[in-house]
Amino acid sequence: MIDRRQFLKTASVLTASAMVTSTSANSTTATTHSTSNLFSTDVAETARDNTRASYRIIALVFDDYETLDLHGPIEMLGHMPHAEIKLVAASAIVKSYQGPRVVADGSLDNTYPCELLLIPGGIGTRKLVNDAQLLRWLSQQVTVSQKVFSICTGAALLAKTSVLNGYKATTNKMAYQWVTSLNAQVLWQPKARWVDDGPFLTSSGVSAGTDAALYWVKQCHGIDEAKRIQTLTEYHWIEDADNDIYATLT
Amino acid sequence: MIDRRQFLKTASVLTASAMVTSTSANSTTATTHSTSNLFSTDVAETARDNTRASYRIIALVFDDYETLDLHGPIEMLGHMPHAEIKLVAASAIVKSYQGPRVVADGSLDNTYPCELLLIPGGIGTRKLVNDAQLLRWLSQQVTVSQKVFSICTGAALLAKTSVLNGYKATTNKMAYQWVTSLNAQVLWQPKARWVDDGPFLTSSGVSAGTDAALYWVKQCHGIDEAKRIQTLTEYHWIEDADNDIYATLT
């Protein structure tokens, strides 16, 4: 159980201004991470009052992440009942490949128990697959995440840990050779808009993540809720995971 | 012509840390705005060397903007040759309706000459249609923007100025009654995924902006470039502006 004092302390420390004035939010010596909470309700409150339970979504962000990998799923998941979405990064502010910057709500000094962990892709993953500290954090964060959802080359980061071994997964089709070369123990799927296998939901490139996010809304709340969000966003949802016109033939 | 010293001064002032430590980036007394530049090349450099010309995109952001209204177009436009995208807001950091926060690159104290001005929508526009200072800035920013692209209820903000009068435009279909009630002199189109009329490109709700952005890539660089970005993002592009399954019947 997360101590309420710890939650309040963490929440106050991790305001944007505090993180921005810090030269680095990331310890270079830590090998294990303390567990923290970024959300408006803590575990004790949730247990007492189910109506206040939030659906906690943590998204890893990093420099040169691909914009839509992150914000497509955030759009759809953010309309789910009780969804709360927080960004976690190695630095206070990170810049997308397309330029605009986002503010991290939490650092990699902690792990955050959550219902859903988002891992976007992008050109930034080419560097991060060799970042031992990031991969160590990711391995630990996965253990406190009920479901792990990678988009595009976000699967490359998972593949560089051992957590995906033995599971079916997919990734961006233009980066398919590179990602799949990172780990032969993953059961890579060359034709799939997304793959849902056990604790892992992995989507194909960029916009596939938005379709997979609506699929996940359906899994959590049923088709009516997914359709409500689809209509609200005037979206043309690819509902079938097997509809992959960008499939690679390998 | 923008003075290079002014550009450098503005660029250094508008770093994230400087804006974050400021209590307000927005003057409450200004009635006119000085012109500034947020981009890596200034006008003089562009004139000397066309290969370095950037396609300058300014996006207005505000609290409770709708995530995909902004980031869908940013995804597509950000892959255009020489695109540079900067966010402008009344405060240093703004929070989307879905929760995550973005960092403003510029304030509303200035206007920014650009090739494309993005105006996302979202629940935050309900308050902003009554914000005289914001509307004054918007009216002036439009005069230094070659093309103005609103997404969803972003059209409500344009409608509250007089700039859209006499032009065809559209907006979110679930908020259609509200937006169109703001200005009867706009030639509102109840059935259109997007409308391109003169200096204004206005799209329907949320995800329609992503389709309209690819349309704009096509207008600027041709269909091959739009298809290249579509493939890169594994996107299912609604290419036809008349394909509006969410059209309202009013």
Side-chain angles (χ1 to χ4, degrees):
Chain A
M1 192 180 84
I2 294 165
D3 185 278
R4 178 148 180 85
R5 283 165 301 181
Q6 184 195 347
F7 156 62
L8 291 171
K9 184 179 166 197
T10 305
S12 67
V13 168
L14 292 176
T15 59
S17 56
M19 289 198 70
V20 167
T21 53
S22 164
T23 51
S24 170
N26 196 11
S27 162
T28 53
T29 54
T31 52
T32 59
H33 305 87
S34 60
T35 299
S36 190
N37 184 13
L38 294 172
F39 298 93
S40 59
T41 51
D42 67 14
V43 174
E45 285 174 335
T46 301
R48 280 196 301 272
D49 179 3
N50 276 329
T51 61
R52 294 189 59 205
S54 67
Y55 186 81
R56 301 167 298 179
I57 301 171
I58 289 285
L60 172 68
V61 285
F62 44 83
D63 283 339
D64 284 334
Y65 77 86
E66 184 74 15
T67 294
L68 197 63
D69 287 18
L70 177 70
H71 294 286
I74 282 178
E75 171 69 32
M76 301 306 174
L77 297 167
H79 282 292
M80 270 175 65
H82 312 300
E84 269 198 80
I85 304 171
K86 301 292 181 184
L87 307 184
V88 172
S91 56
I93 290 176
V94 306
K95 190 176 179 179
S96 72
Y97 176 75
Q98 282 73 19
R101 297 170 294 169
V102 292
V103 183
D105 301 297
S107 77
L108 301 192
D109 287 341
N110 298 298
T111 55
Y112 308 92
C114 63
E115 277 68 47
L116 189 63
L117 170 65
L118 294 188
I119 309 168
I123 200 72
T125 61
R126 301 275 171 163
K127 187 175 166 190
L128 288 186
V129 290
N130 297 314
D131 183 330
Q133 190 179 13
L134 181 280
L135 297 174
R136 200 160 48 233
W137 174 84
L138 183 57
S139 295
Q140 294 187 19
Q141 177 61 42
V142 165
T143 65
V144 295
S145 305
Q146 204 173 94
K147 189 87 178 183
V148 178
F149 174 12
S150 73
I151 301 100
C152 195
T153 51
L157 302 179
L158 286 175
K160 284 288 285 187
T161 71
S162 59
V163 298
L164 208 52
N165 292 10
Y167 287 103
K168 292 181 187 171
T170 197
T171 185
N172 183 300
K173 297 306 162 22
M174 291 183 77
Y176 193 81
Q177 296 294 344
W178 174 65
V179 177
T180 58
S181 74
L182 297 173
N183 188 338
Q185 295 183 68
V186 178
L187 308 176
W188 296 109
Q189 305 296 302
K191 185 174 188 302
R193 187 82 174 150
W194 67 83
V195 173
D196 185 9
D197 191 13
F200 296 102
L201 174 61
T202 57
S203 83
S204 190
V206 194
S207 66
T210 312
D211 293 324
L214 271 181
Y215 158 79
W216 190 242
V217 172
K218 185 181 79 171
Q219 295 304 103
C220 293
H221 293 278
I223 187 67
D224 288 350
E225 177 65 6
K227 290 284 182 182
R228 181 187 72 83
I229 297 173
Q230 176 187 15
T231 301
L232 181 74
T233 56
E234 298 192 9
Y235 189 60
H236 288 243
W237 177 24
I238 308 301
E239 296 183 49
D240 180 3
D242 294 330
N243 180 355
D244 184 8
I245 61 172
Y246 298 102
T248 185
L249 299 170
T250 54
Chain B
M1 192 181 88
I2 295 165
D3 184 280
R4 179 149 180 85
R5 284 166 299 182
Q6 184 195 350
F7 156 64
L8 291 170
K9 185 180 167 196
T10 306
S12 66
V13 168
L14 292 175
T15 58
S17 58
M19 289 198 69
V20 167
T21 54
S22 163
T23 51
S24 170
N26 195 12
S27 162
T28 54
T29 55
T31 53
T32 59
H33 305 87
S34 59
T35 299
S36 191
N37 183 11
L38 293 172
F39 298 93
S40 60
T41 52
D42 66 17
V43 173
E45 285 174 334
T46 301
R48 281 196 301 271
D49 180 3
N50 275 329
T51 60
R52 294 189 60 207
S54 67
Y55 185 82
R56 300 167 299 179
I57 301 171
I58 290 284
L60 172 67
V61 285
F62 43 83
D63 283 337
D64 284 334
Y65 77 87
E66 184 73 18
T67 294
L68 197 63
D69 287 17
L70 176 72
H71 294 286
I74 282 178
E75 171 69 33
M76 301 307 175
L77 298 166
H79 282 292
M80 269 174 65
H82 312 299
E84 269 197 79
I85 304 172
K86 301 291 181 184
L87 306 184
V88 172
S91 56
I93 291 175
V94 305
K95 190 175 178 180
S96 72
Y97 175 76
Q98 282 74 18
R101 296 169 295 169
V102 292
V103 183
D105 301 297
S107 77
L108 301 191
D109 287 341
N110 299 297
T111 55
Y112 309 93
C114 62
E115 278 66 49
L116 190 63
L117 170 65
L118 294 189
I119 309 170
I123 200 72
T125 60
R126 302 274 172 162
K127 187 175 166 190
L128 288 186
V129 290
N130 297 313
D131 184 330
Q133 190 178 15
L134 182 280
L135 296 174
R136 199 161 48 235
W137 175 84
L138 183 57
S139 294
Q140 294 188 18
Q141 177 60 43
V142 165
T143 67
V144 297
S145 305
Q146 204 173 94
K147 189 88 180 182
V148 179
F149 175 13
S150 73
I151 300 97
C152 195
T153 51
L157 302 179
L158 286 175
K160 283 288 286 186
T161 71
S162 60
V163 299
L164 209 51
N165 292 9
Y167 287 103
K168 292 180 188 169
T170 198
T171 185
N172 183 299
K173 297 307 161 22
M174 291 185 78
Y176 192 80
Q177 295 295 343
W178 173 66
V179 177
T180 59
S181 75
L182 298 172
N183 188 337
Q185 295 185 65
V186 178
L187 308 176
W188 296 109
Q189 305 296 303
K191 185 175 188 300
R193 187 84 172 148
W194 67 83
V195 173
D196 185 9
D197 191 12
F200 297 102
L201 174 62
T202 56
S203 82
S204 192
V206 193
S207 65
T210 312
D211 294 324
L214 271 181
Y215 158 79
W216 190 243
V217 172
K218 185 181 80 172
Q219 294 305 103
C220 293
H221 294 278
I223 187 68
D224 288 351
E225 177 65 7
K227 290 284 182 183
R228 182 187 72 83
I229 296 173
Q230 176 187 15
T231 301
L232 182 72
T233 56
E234 298 191 11
Y235 189 60
H236 288 244
W237 178 23
I238 307 301
E239 294 184 49
D240 181 3
D242 294 329
N243 180 357
D244 184 9
I245 60 172
Y246 297 101
T248 184
L249 298 171
T250 55

